[in-house]
Structure formats: C-alpha cells, structure tokens
Amino acid sequence: MNPRRVAAVARRIAEGFRRDRRSLALLVVAPLVIVALLGWVLRDQKSTVVDLAVVNEAGAIGSRITDALTTATANAPNGVSLVETDESEAVARDRIRNGQIDLALVLPSTLLSDVAAGHQPTLTVITAGTDPAAEGGAFASLQSVLGTVASTIAPPGSAPIIPKIEHQTVYLSPDADQVDVLAPVFLGLFAYFFVFILTGISFLRERVGGTLERLLATPVTRAEIVLGYAIGFSVFATLQVLILLGYVLGRIDVPTIGPVGAFTIGLGVQSAGNPAIAFLVALLMAVGAVNLGIYLSTFARTELQVLQFIPIVIVPQGLLGGIFWPIDRLPDILQAIAHVLPVTYAVDALREVMLKGGDLGSSAVQTDLLVLAGIAVLFVLLGAFTIKREVA
Amino acid sequence: MNARAAVGFEPAVEAIGLRKHFGPIHAVDGIDLAFTPGRIYGLLGPNGSGKTTLIRLLAGLARPSGGEARILGLTMPDRPTLGKVGYMPQAEALYPDLSVGENIGFFAALQGVRGSAAIDRSLDLVELGSRKGAPVLELSGGMRRRLSLAVTLVHEPPVLFLDEPTVGVDPALRVQFWGHFRKLADAGTTILVASHVMDEADRCDELVFVRAGRVIARGTGADLRSTAGTDNLETAFLRFAGLDDAGRPLDAGRGPDPEAAP
Ligand SMILES: Nc1ncnc2c1ncn2[C@@H]1O[C@H](COP(=O)(O)OP(=O)(O)O)[C@@H](O)[C@H]1O
Ligand SMILES: [Mg+2]
C-alpha cells in the first residue's frame, strides 16, 4: 500500500469532478431538489373534504338521521361534508363513478324494524375502491361522525345504538390493497424509465463512438433513424411490459417441494380492465421515451451524465405523476407541472383501464391516449431535430 | 486558375472557397480544390491542420462556414448523393458488441446493398472473411481499421474519402490496400486519402499539402520535390510551410512558390 499511489488515484477522481462540474453540481443539487419536492408535496397537500351523499331508504327515522348528519357535518369538523341526498343507491354509485362524491351512506329500509327488534342495524358505505388508503381515512372519519349522530338521536337516558357498517366499493372489491391499485400504474413508469435510460446511453455511444457520423455519411434520413430506434427499443419495451403485466396480474401458487417452502409467483392483482389497452399506453410511453433519450443524450458527454438525468427526468414524474397521491391534492404549482408530464396521463389511463375497467370508448381513456400520442409525436420531432443538429 | 478548364472534366469532388470555423479556430480557412475522376489524391498535413474537417465538409457531415463543397456536381450536404460516397472516419466508428458480419451488414443495408456477395467480397479484401462471427470487441486495432475500410467499400462508391486508413495496419496488408485503391481508381473511383505521414504519399497521383486550414502546395510528388528543391517530401512540406528542416519558422518570404504547377 503506497500512500502516494492511493493519493494519485483519489486526486484523479477529484480532477474528474473538477472537469465535470455538472456531476458535482448534481451531486449536491439533485438530492436537495428531490427532498425539497417531497417535502413540498407531503406538507402542502391540500386537505380534502370528503363529500358524502346519503341514500335514505329508511323513511322517517332515516330523515332524522340525515338531519342529524347535516348538523354534525356542518363546516366539516371531521373532514366529512354531507353534500347531497340521493334517491337511490344506483344514483349514488353513478355519482361516485363520475367523481362527484367520495362516499355514499345507505340507510336501509329495514333500519326501523331492526332497531325495534333490538338488532344491531347495518348501514352500507360505498366508496370508489380505487384508493384504499385515502378511502380508509374517509371511512374512519365517517364512522366517528356516525358515532356523534347516534348519541344525538338516541332518546335521552338510553344508550346510543351503534350501527354495523358494511363497506362496498364501486370498483374492485373492498379488500383490495395498495398493491392492487399501485402495481398496474407502475407499468407506465417502468417502460418510460428503462427505455429512456437505454436509448440515452445507446445514442450517446453512437455519437461518441463515431458510428453516428458513419450513419450520417449514408443516405439514411433522420426520420428513418428515429423510427428505427423507436421500433427497435419498443420490441424490448413490449417484452418488458408483457412480462411485468403477467407478473402483476397472474398468480401461481408453487407447493412445497423438498426443503423449499410453498411460495407464490406473481401478485395476482385484482384488475377490471383490458390489458391490451394498458399495453398500448406503455408502448406510447416507450416511443416518447426513445426520442426523449435521443434528445437529452446530446446534453451528455458521458454515460454517467446520462444517468444524471434520472433525478431530473424520472424522479419528479414518479412523485408528481399521480402514482402515490392524487394530483388534485398537490399544491397548485405542482399540479400545473404534473399536467405536462407524460407519466401523469399514463397513470390516469392505466387507472381508468385496470382499476375502473374503462375501455377505448371511455372519454377519459381517449383523452389520455391522445395526449400521450401528442407527447410522443413532440418527442419524435425533438429527436429528429437533434440528429439534424449533429451536422453542425 | 480554373480547375474545370484545366482538367477538361466535370470534377468528381470540388471545394470552392471552403471554410469552417470553430469559434476562433479556422479549421478550414478557404480551400479550393477540384478532383478529377479516377485519380488518387493524398491530403497531407500535420495533426490539427484541418484534414478531417475538410473531409467532413466534402462529405456533407458538417456545414461550411463559407464556400461550397460539391460531389459529382451536387452541393453538399445532400443525402441521396451520400449513396455514391464511401467515408472512412478517422475514429473506429464500429459497434463493439456486434460481430464483424453484423457491423458491415448494417451499413451495407443502409447503403441499399442486397445479398451477402458484396459483403463477403469486401471482407475478403481486408482478410477478415474468416472472422465474420467475431465480435469487434475481440479484434485488434489493425483488424478494426481493416473492418472499417471494408464497411466503407461495401457499396462500391465512385467517390472515396479515407481518413488515415492505414494507421495500425501492418506493412504487407498496406501494400495490398494500395494495390486495391489503385484498381478502384483505374475503374474510375475518385479517392482522397488523408494522412499525416509522408511514407505513402508517392502512391498518390497528386498531393495536397495543408497547414492551418490552408492548402500550402499541391501537385505530383515529383513536382513538389523539384519545386522545393529536395528529394525528401517531408523536407518539401517544411519548406512550403516556411519552416526550416528542424521545423522552426524561417524568415518570411523564403519559402518556395506555393503554386506548384500541376
Ligand atoms: N468539432 C470541433 N470543435 C472545435 N474544434 C474542432 C472541432 N473539430 C476540429 N476542431 C479543430 O479544428 C482543427 C483541425 O482539426 P482536424 O480537422 O481534426 O485536423 P486533422 O484531421 O488534420 O488532424 C483543430 O485545431 C481541431 O482542434
Ligand atoms: Mg484528422
């Protein structure tokens, strides 16, 4: 161990950083930006009021409960606000489907007879079922409101009757967990992420290694290069998405074999939708990512610098794209940013399709696909323009 | 002097007042050339004299800051014309993880070459026919140079730009290369070979000496030697560059007349 040689190696690294100021800056700035963004997103999330609708099938007693609920939720002290009464459960479900309300409370026609007979009555609470964490919170708030209501309507001197609550969902099932709702939407991000990195590095090598110059010394056109790249990478993005989709949706239970205990392969995620559309979304993302990779690779001199685009290009999309928390809860500025990120549209489309069973006829899916296609075209133009600039 | 009138042909390659500036660096600083079809031209000059930049301009890989480059009468950059050009870059410019056959097959496809006959012929010429399946990663530097040449020749272009083609190639194969270049030229191919060493200069029909982005002399090897009054091309170059035999600047005005008669 010769300290001079160790020092020489260490100095070489330091000199590399001195020449590569951008890496140095990124080393400091990137984590700050990410942590700051995360703090902003988590601290400044808009506190949302849960919009509740009551469906009264219980007649007079139901009206009394509804009135008590109206009083108890005035100014939404528990974060629950009674916004309407619907004439039937079907109407309430439609309102949830359209995003007009978050929760529906159904007071059943058997309510009075159950109470009279001394049974614990059962109320039904309906949620969308696409965001188990948030809905769990809303559900708990409603429960505490119902506790208050039960004690206000109980005759003086008698113990309040606490009803049983049955949870139903419009989409998926009430026992769906975070994995069921998160796994499908990750598809969009993965295709984007890997294709972007791989194209960025490939294209950088193409330029640094001189093969791009050799390419440009043939009659091949920019459009041909960009399209060829997109097709070439899309084949592998396809493979990736297919395997991932299979793993997310499928489930194989492997029995105990010898010393190996039983285990399962695949997540067996509940899904309502058509995987073909999910696939289309991932493919559009991949085409966009190929060209973004080509474009951004011109701003990198080394492979390390391509990887540095991860905290700039990928991480914010992961945080703001609506994967972990709904976009409408982000601070306004971040919402505006979220609306120009391709991942946002991919996540929305995947959620529509995989969780809500939307198909190509759904206007939400159509909008998302159109926007994604538009972004892909924009990036293709950027990519093609980039290659033109190579002839400087 | 009107080059066209002098040679009586439409030149295969033409530079007209060609310039390329990179900020303060005048890599190509006003060059006029006209190459007759079927001849081999040697572009000679030290490192950094602008040879590569000139070739890139001629091949339409860079936009001139001034002037014009023409190939077969068409102003470059012009994509379709590139089908008639073979460009061997100074850099390796091969895909290291692909095999010899895959590399040449790719560029052959871009040039519209069909079938494997042309590919095999080109590989045999550089004696790589038996290494078709080997990844470029496993080739020696000289072998890569040979593959690079094979890729450049595969579509049998009428105009060839070779940027230091024989660097790292052993002497026996070098002789073979030059034999082949001569055969191509006899069949009508116009060839420009850039080099910073003079030892291959006498295999060219005509030499162009460049220094600091300018042509300092041109003519046949014999003409240049006699004009400079020396038997040694290297010494001739130094004299045209206004340097003494050790490479030090001479007093102004003592260099020989740079317009050597062709
Ligand atoms: N892309 C570029 N950007 C800036 N300077 C360049 C570029 N390409 C070449 N040069 C400069 O132009 C001059 C000529 O370079 P080059 O044509 O490669 O010379 P040669 O091939 O004769 O060695 C050199 O000073 C080189 O540094
Ligand atoms: Mg050079």
Side-chain angles (χ1 to χ4, degrees):
Chain A
M1 186 62 80
N2 177 327
R4 276 165 172 264
R5 289 195 293 259
V6 174
V9 173
R11 195 167 52 237
R12 213 269 307 148
I13 304 287
E15 275 161 0
F17 268 118
R18 207 165 50 95
R19 297 261 161 233
D20 188 0
R21 295 267 163 84
R22 213 172 76 191
S23 290
L24 192 61
L26 216 73
L27 200 67
V28 178
V29 174
L32 278 181
V33 168
I34 292 171
V35 171
L37 194 60
L38 194 63
W40 192 4
V41 165
L42 292 179
R43 289 237 169 102
D44 286 5
Q45 281 207 357
K46 297 194 171 153
S47 57
T48 47
V49 172
V50 177
D51 290 335
L52 170 72
V54 173
V55 178
N56 181 16
E57 296 171 349
I61 185 176
S63 299
R64 270 185 63 203
I65 296 174
T66 309
D67 290 343
L69 263 173
T70 309
T71 315
T73 60
N75 304 322
N78 298 65
V80 178
S81 165
L82 178 60
V83 291
E84 59 188 44
T85 53
D86 292 336
E87 57 265 32
S88 71
E89 191 182 316
V91 170
R93 280 178 180 265
D94 265 350
R95 306 274 294 163
I96 291 177
R97 210 169 272 126
N98 297 336
Q100 285 146 321
I101 55 171
D102 302 306
L103 282 180
L105 174 69
V106 181
L107 307 172
S109 53
T110 56
L111 185 60
L112 188 59
S113 56
D114 279 341
V115 174
H119 295 148
Q120 189 186 21
T122 303
L123 309 184
T124 306
V125 170
I126 306 169
T127 64
T130 50
D131 189 354
E135 288 165 22
F139 193 81
S141 307
L142 179 60
Q143 245 169 342
S144 81
V145 173
L146 284 176
T148 320
V149 168
S151 40
T152 51
I153 63 170
S158 65
I161 299 163
I162 304 295
K164 216 162 61 190
I165 295 181
E166 188 191 308
H167 184 191
Q168 291 183 5
T169 54
V170 174
Y171 303 113
L172 302 181
S173 81
D175 57 0
D177 60 10
Q178 278 312 104
V179 175
D180 289 305
V181 298
L182 275 184
V185 301
F186 266 116
L187 286 175
L189 192 63
F190 278 144
Y192 198 74
F193 177 81
F194 288 109
V195 169
F196 167 74
I197 292 299
L198 291 179
T199 321
I201 291 182
S202 294
F203 210 76
L204 178 89
R205 283 201 189 148
E206 197 96 67
R207 179 151 19 79
V208 172
T211 47
L212 180 62
E213 176 151 284
R214 210 193 269 273
L215 269 176
L216 294 175
T218 73
V220 76
T221 65
R222 289 175 272 153
E224 287 162 352
I225 297 178
V226 167
L227 195 64
Y229 251 78
I231 292 173
F233 276 105
S234 296
V235 168
F236 292 92
T238 299
L239 201 68
Q240 182 202 35
V241 170
L242 284 180
I243 291 171
L244 199 63
L245 209 55
Y247 187 84
V248 166
L249 297 181
R251 187 185 177 102
I252 303 167
D253 290 300
V254 182
T256 307
I257 310 164
V260 183
F263 61 95
T264 56
I265 299 174
L267 297 178
V269 152
Q270 301 183 13
S271 166
N274 179 354
I277 304 176
F279 180 69
L280 184 63
V281 170
L283 206 63
L284 280 175
M285 290 294 277
V287 171
V290 163
N291 287 282
L292 186 66
I294 290 177
Y295 174 64
L296 287 181
S297 77
T298 40
F299 300 104
R301 274 179 291 120
T302 63
E303 280 145 11
L304 196 68
Q305 289 188 337
V306 174
L307 295 184
Q308 287 168 4
F309 286 119
I310 293 174
I312 299 169
V313 175
I314 306 297
V315 174
Q317 303 218 59
L319 288 181
L320 303 181
I323 296 178
F324 300 106
W325 34 76
I327 288 171
D328 54 19
R329 263 194 247 153
L330 296 175
D332 289 332
I333 298 175
L334 295 184
Q335 271 193 42
I337 296 175
H339 281 295
V340 299
L341 302 177
V343 166
T344 302
Y345 297 93
V347 165
D348 189 64
L350 288 168
R351 211 160 254 160
E352 281 299 320
V353 172
M354 302 297 280
L355 305 183
K356 302 186 181 173
D359 56 22
L360 289 177
S362 140
S363 69
V365 174
Q366 286 171 358
T367 310
D368 288 330
L369 287 177
L370 271 179
V371 173
L372 285 176
I375 292 176
V377 167
L378 183 77
F379 285 169
V380 166
L381 293 179
L382 265 186
F385 171 74
T386 306
I387 296 177
K388 180 186 177 184
R389 267 201 345 195
E390 296 288 334
V391 182
Chain B
M1 177 186 70
N2 186 329
R4 197 170 304 208
V7 297
F9 272 103
E10 158 128 69
V13 178
E14 244 180 316
I16 303 154
L18 205 53
R19 295 172 185 279
K20 180 73 182 180
H21 301 171
F22 298 105
I25 298 174
H26 295 195
V28 169
D29 199 17
I31 286 186
D32 293 277
L33 291 169
F35 293 168
T36 311
R39 284 168 74 86
I40 303 178
Y41 292 84
L43 183 63
L44 299 173
N47 282 319
S49 54
K51 304 181 296 294
T52 298
T53 307
L54 175 60
I55 289 185
R56 294 186 70 242
L57 286 170
L58 292 175
L61 292 169
R63 278 181 203 286
S65 312
E68 196 180 334
R70 286 192 201 151
I71 290 182
L72 305 172
L74 290 159
T75 300
M76 301 303 282
D78 178 65
R79 289 230 152 260
T81 303
L82 290 174
K84 301 191 174 115
V85 174
Y87 169 53
M88 178 173 173
Q90 187 172 358
E92 185 175 293
L94 298 165
Y95 297 97
D97 30 10
L98 299 191
S99 72
V100 168
E102 286 161 346
N103 266 284
I104 192 168
F106 172 58
F107 289 104
L110 293 184
Q111 286 289 9
V113 175
R114 285 166 198 277
S116 62
I119 292 176
D120 290 337
R121 222 179 309 132
S122 208
L123 284 180
D124 285 341
L125 175 78
V126 299
E127 299 187 344
L128 281 175
S130 61
R131 302 297 297 268
K132 215 172 164 181
V136 165
L137 214 57
E138 292 174 8
L139 300 186
S140 73
M143 287 173 172
R144 292 178 197 197
R145 231 37 223 141
R146 280 147 59 191
L147 175 56
S148 179
L149 179 65
V151 168
T152 306
L153 299 179
V154 71
H155 57 296
E156 298 175 354
V159 174
L160 273 177
F161 296 122
L162 310 175
D163 201 348
E164 316 230 358
T166 55
V167 173
V169 175
D170 55 75
L173 203 59
R174 237 178 235 228
V175 172
Q176 248 173 288
F177 274 17
W178 279 102
H180 188 71
F181 295 161
R182 179 54 62 196
K183 246 190 282 170
L184 290 174
D186 288 346
T189 306
T190 311
I191 306 178
L192 176 63
V193 181
S195 178
H196 67 275
V197 290
M198 302 283 170
D199 54 358
E200 289 169 332
D202 279 319
R203 300 181 183 275
C204 302
D205 297 311
E206 212 174 309
L207 301 177
V208 179
F209 280 178
V210 288
R211 182 163 184 264
R214 292 166 186 266
V215 175
I216 55 170
R218 61 175 177 246
T220 64
D223 288 341
L224 292 174
R225 281 189 186 87
S226 70
T227 311
T230 168
D231 283 344
N232 183 324
L233 265 184
E234 237 157 290
T235 314
F237 183 92
L238 292 172
R239 298 217 173 139
F240 285 115
L243 304 173
D244 72 12
D245 292 358
R248 284 181 298 260
L250 291 172
D251 297 341
R254 272 189 52 200
D257 174 15
E259 270 301 316

